[in-house]
Amino acid sequence: MKVNLIKQNNFGSLRNLELSTSTLSSLKENDILVEVYCCGISFADVLAVEGKYQDTPPLPFTPGLEISGVILDIGSKVKNFRIGDEVIALSKWGGFADKVIINENFVVSKLKKMPFDLAACMTINYGTSYYALIERAKIKPKDKILILGASGGIGLSAIEICKAIGCEVTAMASSEDKLLACKEYGADNLVLTKKDNLRDSLKDFKEITFDIIYDTVGGTYTNDSLRFIAWEGKLLIMGFASGDISSIQTNKVLLKGCDIIGIFWGPFARGNKNFNLNCLKGVSDLYNKKLIKLSKPSMFHISEFLIPLEKIKERKSIGKLCLYTDSYKGRQE
Ligand SMILES: NC(=O)c1ccc[n+]([C@@H]2O[C@H](COP(=O)([O-])OP(=O)(O)OC[C@H]3O[C@@H](n4cnc5c(N)ncnc54)[C@H](OP(=O)(O)O)[C@@H]3O)[C@@H](O)[C@H]2O)c1
């Protein structure tokens, strides 16, 4: 069977990616063949294409970590899924395609009422934020939470999950448009980034300590976060959108009696099947109870793949971006 996909043979420029056609390998006994409808696009896709991701994938490489779609075929030992089921999957690369083969351990059923576009963008962002905030930081109602890079993909999911629990959320972003998106997803307090620096940005802000800081930006923001963390607070190391990694000043950690918690959801999710499913089930439950709405992605046809990747690279994206295939388009018409 033929598959149309976006592929690159050498890491480097986003422009190394090209539309291509290959032959799919045959299904192993625990594999599922999914017709891709939508594929969420992540910051990690850009890093991986450029060869800068922590967990470098092999070449030739097809981006795409998370998808939604419909099952076309199943391996001989797959018992929990049938052909025609609507599913969400952690493709861990390969999702920028019209079909993908995925081990059944990384496939979950999609709620019928959840649209394919929201479903494709739930796994990485909401799965990561649920794991970080609920399972690791154990957030409670009324906790004061500062979210850095709040208008980005994982930032908006963090706002929604914190608000579902009843926390007070302060969102930081670099433009009024981005802050508006944070407000739309429930942020209580909005802080405009000044001079790309946390100290300047929070200068006039009365709330000076936070129980939890959710840091997706890294660089100088990480060390400066320790100034604004409450006694026995928690600093969540989520990512390094600034491209810089901070050296932590451990005296500040001692003086605040705080915890620094590293989150790397991808490998965690792959190694802990049941816990991964628990996080995704937790997200689905919040959605079912209407406590979160799941951020609506901006949609691009798969042939336009370069536009969203460049938007993310150039810091011009707001919220999540998503690719769709002809099969998804056909279903909408
Ligand atoms: N730990 C995990 O398991 C996990 C899971 C998913 C993602 N991540 C990581 O989390 C980070 C954010 O991912 P995302 O999907 O939310 O990305 P995104 O949608 O592109 O958002 C990143 C945000 O970071 C902010 N930012 C601040 N300084 C920046 C700079 N110099 N360059 C670019 N952006 C900058 C931007 O907001 P402003 O312009 O408002 O500052 C942007 O909205 C990435 O490093 C990603 O790899 C980690």
Side-chain angles (χ1 to χ4, degrees), residues 312-331:
I312 291 176
K313 183 175 166 60
E314 290 162 14
R315 202 173 166 180
K316 289 188 179 145
S317 62
I318 297 184
K320 188 79 175 178
L321 310 184
C322 183
L323 294 181
Y324 65 89
T325 61
D326 288 339
S327 308
Y328 171 77
K329 200 170 144 204
R331 182 118 172 183

Side-chain angles (χ1 to χ4, degrees), residues 158-312:
I159 295 175
E160 277 217 284
I161 289 175
C162 290
K163 288 313 297 172
I165 302 301
C167 306
E168 182 184 315
V169 173
T170 299
M172 186 177 288
S174 65
S175 72
E176 295 296 344
D177 279 1
K178 289 184 173 188
L179 286 176
L180 209 60
C182 298
K183 192 169 178 200
E184 199 185 306
Y185 285 89
D188 302 286
N189 310 307
L190 306 174
V191 179
L192 188 65
T193 312
K194 288 188 193 128
K195 300 184 196 163
D196 246 338
N197 170 313
L198 191 63
R199 290 186 197 201
D200 280 314
S201 309
L202 289 177
K203 215 171 179 174
D204 307 324
F205 197 66
K206 291 192 184 66
E207 191 69 62
I208 48 162
T209 64
F210 299 90
D211 301 304
I212 286 144
I213 300 184
Y214 182 99
D215 176 15
T216 73
V217 179
T220 61
Y221 283 78
T222 308
N223 247 322
D224 285 348
S225 287
L226 293 169
R227 284 172 70 96
F228 298 99
I229 201 111
W231 171 249
E232 292 188 347
K234 291 169 189 159
L235 171 59
L236 291 170
I237 307 293
M238 300 303 306
F240 313 99
S242 66
D244 288 331
I245 295 173
S246 166
S247 297
I248 301 278
Q249 288 172 318
T250 49
N251 61 325
K252 290 186 186 163
V253 181
L254 178 150
L255 290 169
K256 292 296 183 90
C258 66
D259 292 338
I260 299 180
I261 302 175
I263 301 293
F264 196 9
W265 189 76
F268 157 77
R270 274 180 287 147
N272 296 266
K273 184 196 162 203
N274 292 329
F275 206 43
N276 166 22
L277 296 182
N278 282 349
C279 288
L280 294 182
K281 185 174 172 305
V283 174
S284 286
D285 284 351
L286 292 177
Y287 177 80
N288 222 359
K289 291 178 188 155
K290 297 196 167 55
L291 289 170
I292 59 174
K293 54 184 180 182
L294 294 177
S295 49
K296 180 95 183 139
S298 305
M299 302 296 284
F300 301 84
H301 186 260
I302 188 163
S303 60
E304 300 174 307
F305 64 91
L306 207 49
I307 301 172
L309 289 171
E310 284 183 338
K311 272 182 186 281
I312 291 176

Side-chain angles (χ1 to χ4, degrees), residues 130-143:
Y130 190 96
Y131 167 57
L133 293 160
I134 309 275
E135 304 289 353
R136 300 291 302 280
K138 303 191 189 313
I139 55 170
K140 307 180 298 302
K142 300 207 169 67
D143 275 349

